Amino acid sequence: MNPEIILHAGIATGTVLLFAAIGEVLAERAGILNLGVEGMMLLGAMAGFKMSLASGNPWLGVLVAVAAAGVLSLAHGLVSIHFQADQVVSGLSLTFLGTGLALVFGEGLTGKSPPLIPNLDIPLLSSIPFIGPVFFDDHSILVYFGYLLAPLTWYYIHKTRPGMHLRAVGEKPEAADTLGINVYRLRYFYTFLGGCLAGLAGVAISLSVSPGWYSAQTTSGQGWIAIGLVIFAQWNPINAALGAYLFGAVRRAILDLQGPRTLFGFTNPLFINSNWGFFLQMAPYLLTILALIIGSRAAMRRRLGAPAALGVPYIRGERGL
Amino acid sequence: MRLPFQISVEKRTEDYPKWLPALMSLLAVVIAFLISGLILALVGGDPARVARFFWSATFGSWATFSDTMVKATPLIMVGLACAVAFKMRLWNIGAEGQFYLGAFFASLVVLVPILPPEAPKPLILLTMAVMGMIGGALWGFVPGFLKAKFNVNEIITSLMLNYVAILWNNFWIFDRWSEGGFQMTATFPRSYWLPRLADYAREYRAFAGITLHLGVVFGLIAAIAVWWIFQRSRWGYEIKLIGDNPQAARYAGLNITRNIILVMMFSGALAGLAGMSEISGVVHRLQERISPGYGFTGIIVAWLAKLNPFTVILVSILFGALIVAGREIQPSGLAQLLQGIILFMVISSDVLLRYKVSITRAA
C-alpha cells in the first residue's frame, strides 16, 4: 500500500482511459456520438499485439493499431454521417463488429509475448522527490505522450481556428456550413481521429500497461468507462485526463488492497477471504456511475453540457435545430 | 472519366411498399453472411464447410432444432426487453446484468429456500418466475431512476451495472453457495426445474433427448403481452408517443419521469425472466457464464426485428442458431463478428427506405 507505487501504476493504467476519453471528446465535440470505443480499443489491442509479434517492432504495432481502429471508426462515420442512422445503434454495432474482428483475427494470440513498448526515465525530472518517481520514472513512452496530449487538445479546441471550426460543427452545423466549413468532412475527420486514439488506448493495454492478449477481457469495459468519463469531464480534455488518472489509481489500489495481511493496523478481511474482493472490483463501475451523476448534475445546474448537435445527423438543405 | 450511367439519390416522397423493410432486413442478413464468409476465407477457414456445419448443427434434425430453440428462448425474452425500452428511445443495454440478477433472485427461491422442494410445482415455478422478474426490474430501476431524476445517461449506467451484477453473482457462487469449492451452486432439486419435452419421453418416444423446456412458452406469452401493450393499451400508446415526440408528450401532460422508470423496470423484468428460465430450464444451478452475451445479442435481435414482438421470435431463432453453431465453429469470435455485420447492414439498409436510388443512362 505504498502511495507512490499506486499513483505510479495509476498513471500508467489511466493513460489508457486518457487516450480513449480524449478521442471521444474530439468526436463528440464534432457532434458524433461514438459508442464503439470498446470495440475499437479491442481491435487496436489485438492488431498492435499481432503486428508487434509478427514484425518484432512494437512501434509498427502501435501504427497498425491506430490505423485499424481509425478505419473501423469510419464505418460508424459512414453510417451516421451519410446514412443518417441512429448513432446509438450504429455505435453499439461498431462495438460488436470491433469485438468480433478482434476475436477472429486474434485467435491463438493468448500466451504469446511480443516485444513491448519500452519504458524510460526522464533524466532531470525523475530525481524530484515524490513527483519524480510517480510521474517521470520508468513509464512507457505513451504515458509521456499522454501528458502532452491533454493540454495540447485543450489548446487546440479552445484557442485555435480549426478548433473553433470543430466546436461550430458540433454546436451548430448549419451555421458552420454557411461559413464555408465542410461539416461532413470535419465530422469524418474527428470520428477517424477518435478511432485512432481508441486504437492507441487499446495497444497501450496490450503492449504496455498489462501486456498480453486475453480476448475480450483485454479491455474489460474500459472503453465504456472512457465514454462515461467524457460526460463526467464535461467534454473538456483536461478534466478527462484528470478523471482518467483518478480511475487508473483506483483500479490499481483495488489490486494492492488484496495483498497485505494487515491494513492500517487491522487484519485485512481480503487476506482471509479473497472473495470479498468481488465487491472491491465493482468499484470502478460504481465510480463511473457516481461520476456520471456528478457530471449530469453539474451540467443541469450550469445549463452547460453536451455539444448541441451531439448525435444529430446534419442534412444539408434541411432546416437545422 | 464519364460514367455511362448516372446514379441519382432522391428523398422518397411517396410511401414505400409494405414488403420493402422485410426484404431489406433479409438482404442485410444474407449480405452479412457473405461478408463473414469472405473474412473467414481470409483468415484461412473454409466458408462452405462452416456453412454446411452451421446448417446441420442448428436446423438439421429435430434434436438440433430443439437446441436452437433452447438458445432462442432467452433471446426472445431479452429481445423483447430491449424492444420495449427502445420503443421509448431508452437505450437499455443492461439486459445482460438484468438477466444475471433475475437468475440470482430466482435462485433465492431454491437456495434460501423460500419454498421447499415439496411445495406444489406450479407454485414453485411461478414464484421463481416472479422473483426473476423482480430481480431484473430492480436492476432496471437503477438506470431508469437516475435517468428520470438526474438526467444521467442510461446507456453507460445500465452497461456498468452489467459488470456489477456479474461480480455480485460471482461472490455468491464462489463464496456462500459454492459447491465443494467449485464456482457453482449445487444442482437444484428436480422440483425446481422447468419441465422439458424429454421428461415425457416415456409417453411419447419422439421426445427422447429433446431439451426444449417450458421457458419458450414464457417467451411466447411475453411476446403476446408486449404486442398487446403496444397495440391495444393506453400505456403502450403513451410509451410510443414519448419515444416519437417527447415534446408533444410533455404538452399532452404525460408523466415522462414515471414512464422512464416504469419502462426500464418492465424491460428489466423481461430480461430477469429470461435469467430465471435459463437457470431453471437449462443450467439447473447458479454458476458462472450462464449467459454467452444474451443481453447484448438481444439488442441486435430487437433492432433487426424492427421492435416488432412477433418478429423478435423469428429473429431469435436465427440468432439462437448462431449461438449453437458458434460454440463449435473456429475461430470462436465468428458468431460475434457476424452479429456485428448483420446489425451494421440493417441500419445501413434503412437509408434505402428513406432514399430512392435510381440508375439511369447518361444523357
Side-chain angles (χ1 to χ4, degrees):
Chain A
M1 282 304 281
N2 182 341
E4 237 170 58
I5 295 174
I6 290 181
L7 283 178
H8 181 272
I11 295 280
T13 322
T15 299
V16 172
L17 289 172
L18 181 145
F19 290 144
I22 288 187
E24 184 68 10
V25 165
L26 286 170
E28 292 195 11
R29 277 289 179 123
I32 298 295
L33 174 70
N34 190 347
L35 295 180
V37 180
E38 178 84 2
M40 298 188 293
M41 272 174 75
L42 205 58
L43 185 68
M46 183 282 299
F49 190 88
K50 196 168 185 171
M51 190 63 200
S52 176
L53 193 67
S55 68
N57 183 344
W59 294 110
L60 227 52
V62 172
L63 200 71
V64 169
V66 168
V71 170
L72 182 67
S73 75
L74 288 179
H76 176 67
L78 178 70
V79 171
S80 55
I81 298 170
H82 264 110
F83 295 171
Q84 297 142 23
D86 192 293
Q87 294 183 13
V88 173
V89 186
S90 168
L92 284 176
S93 53
L94 197 71
T95 285
F96 287 114
L97 193 60
T99 309
L101 283 171
L103 294 184
V104 167
F105 285 95
E107 186 81 358
L109 290 181
T110 310
K112 300 271 169 55
S113 41
L116 304 178
I117 297 166
N119 284 10
L120 51 87
D121 307 343
I122 303 289
L124 276 166
L125 294 171
S126 61
S127 48
I128 307 172
F130 193 73
I131 294 186
V134 169
F135 292 99
F136 301 109
D137 187 64
D138 194 32
H139 269 310
S140 150
I141 296 171
L142 293 182
V143 170
Y144 302 117
F145 177 60
Y147 294 159
L148 300 177
L149 185 67
L152 282 180
T153 312
W154 183 88
Y155 183 82
Y156 177 81
I157 293 177
H158 293 275
K159 301 286 172 195
T160 69
R161 202 173 171 77
M164 195 177 71
H165 290 174
L166 160 63
R167 281 181 290 147
V169 165
E171 296 287 349
K172 219 165 175 43
E174 60 280 6
D177 199 2
T178 56
L179 289 174
I181 299 169
N182 191 330
V183 176
Y184 289 74
R185 191 194 295 163
L186 282 192
R187 285 193 163 177
Y188 272 111
F189 176 71
Y190 288 109
T191 307
F192 179 71
L193 210 58
C196 290
L197 282 169
L200 188 62
V203 76
I205 300 175
S206 65
L207 288 184
S208 172
V209 175
S210 44
W213 173 249
Y214 309 100
S215 56
Q217 264 81 50
T218 312
T219 48
S220 64
Q222 290 191 68
W224 295 102
I225 293 181
I227 297 172
L229 270 178
V230 172
I231 301 173
F232 171 64
Q234 300 284 295
W235 294 268
N236 178 332
I238 304 268
N239 292 348
L242 296 178
Y245 292 137
L246 175 74
F247 267 81
V250 169
R251 279 178 83 90
R252 178 62 200 202
I254 288 169
L255 289 178
D256 280 19
L257 274 173
Q258 310 194 20
R261 185 184 290 268
T262 57
L263 219 57
F264 314 114
F266 296 98
T267 319
N268 186 354
L270 294 170
F271 189 78
I272 301 165
N273 183 351
S274 61
N275 287 335
W276 290 105
F278 287 124
F279 290 99
L280 216 54
Q281 287 169 37
M282 294 176 187
Y285 308 112
L286 294 175
L287 208 62
T288 307
I289 294 176
L290 189 70
L292 275 176
I293 297 173
I294 295 169
S296 308
R297 295 199 56 136
M300 282 210 302
R301 205 176 47 242
R302 300 195 346 242
R303 296 194 167 277
L304 270 173
L310 181 60
V312 185
Y314 176 62
I315 308 159
R316 206 171 189 184
E318 278 188 15
R319 262 185 68 204
L321 293 166
Chain B
M1 193 185 80
R2 281 198 55 179
L3 291 169
F5 52 86
Q6 219 173 7
I7 303 173
S8 67
V9 181
E10 284 165 26
K11 197 148 186 136
R12 263 181 210 281
T13 43
E14 77 282 19
D15 280 346
Y16 46 75
K18 265 199 153 154
W19 45 264
L20 194 61
L23 182 73
M24 288 289 179
S25 299
L26 205 65
L27 267 178
V29 172
V30 171
I31 293 173
F33 267 94
L34 291 178
I35 293 178
S36 305
L38 216 65
I39 293 178
L40 185 63
L42 210 65
V43 293
D46 179 354
R49 212 175 57 84
V50 170
R52 272 198 305 278
F53 170 79
F54 180 87
W55 183 258
S56 66
T58 54
F59 299 107
S61 71
W62 281 112
T64 54
F65 182 63
S66 149
D67 288 348
T68 299
M69 285 305 294
V70 167
K71 292 292 172 199
T73 299
L75 284 179
I76 294 173
M77 287 175 262
V78 171
L80 289 170
C82 295
V84 165
F86 293 174
K87 279 260 189 199
M88 211 174 117
R89 305 190 74 72
L90 274 175
W91 303 108
N92 177 19
I93 53 175
E96 183 82 356
Q98 291 144 14
F99 178 96
Y100 270 87
L101 221 69
F104 172 81
F105 266 65
S107 303
L108 288 177
V109 177
V110 189
L111 298 166
V112 168
I114 292 175
L115 285 174
E118 299 80 36
K121 188 152 186 160
L123 180 68
I124 288 182
L125 294 179
L126 194 67
T127 314
M128 286 177 81
V130 170
M131 284 297 279
M133 290 174 79
I134 291 175
L138 199 70
W139 223 228
F141 170 80
V142 180
F145 177 80
L146 292 175
K147 165 89 176 177
K149 295 287 176 192
F150 305 120
N151 196 27
V152 177
N153 186 317
E154 78 281 10
I155 301 172
I156 321 274
T157 47
S158 61
L159 190 103
M160 291 291 125
L161 286 175
N162 287 343
Y163 294 98
V164 177
I166 291 170
L167 288 166
W168 169 262
N169 259 20
N170 279 353
F171 172 74
W172 291 90
I173 54 182
F174 276 75
D175 196 284
R176 293 299 135 109
W177 295 336
S178 168
E179 164 85 340
F182 290 103
Q183 296 126 25
M184 51 177 74
T185 66
T187 306
F188 297 164
R190 273 193 165 265
S191 47
Y192 297 100
W193 294 15
L194 283 172
R196 294 180 299 190
L197 283 183
D199 299 344
Y200 302 98
R202 202 171 302 160
E203 289 89 343
Y204 307 94
R205 300 263 336 248
F207 286 169
I210 303 284
T211 50
L212 191 67
H213 58 88
L214 193 65
V216 75
V217 178
F218 289 6
L220 298 180
I221 294 173
I224 295 168
V226 169
W227 175 84
W228 186 85
I229 286 172
F230 281 112
Q231 299 304 322
R232 294 283 182 270
S233 84
R234 186 192 154 88
W235 186 47
Y237 180 74
E238 287 185 14
I239 295 173
K240 276 194 289 190
L241 182 61
I242 296 173
D244 290 341
N245 194 340
Q247 212 74 18
R250 190 167 290 127
Y251 290 137
L254 296 183
N255 189 337
I256 295 182
T257 312
R258 202 189 61 185
N259 271 317
I260 288 176
I261 298 175
L262 280 180
V263 167
M264 282 301 279
M265 287 177 73
F266 182 43
S267 172
L270 287 170
L273 184 63
M276 174 271 168
S277 142
E278 196 66 4
I279 57 156
S280 171
V282 181
V283 193
H284 301 136
R285 56 154 68 104
L286 194 62
Q287 62 173 37
E288 267 194 300
R289 299 201 187 87
I290 45 178
S291 155
Y294 289 133
F296 299 106
T297 307
I299 299 170
I300 309 180
V301 168
W303 205 257
L304 193 54
K306 304 256 192 290
L307 313 187
N308 177 318
F310 296 121
T311 321
V312 162
I313 298 174
L314 289 179
V315 177
S316 294
I317 296 173
L318 171 68
F319 278 75
L322 266 179
I323 294 174
V324 169
R327 287 180 307 189
E328 317 278 333
I329 294 175
Q330 294 298 324
S332 55
L334 194 69
Q336 212 159 355
L337 177 67
L338 190 56
Q339 293 181 9
I341 298 179
I342 289 178
L343 190 53
F344 246 113
M345 287 297 142
V346 169
I347 52 178
S348 308
S349 71
D350 282 349
V351 78
L352 294 176
L353 295 181
R354 275 180 283 121
Y355 292 90
K356 199 160 71 177
V357 182
S358 50
I359 301 174
T360 47
R361 228 183 314 168

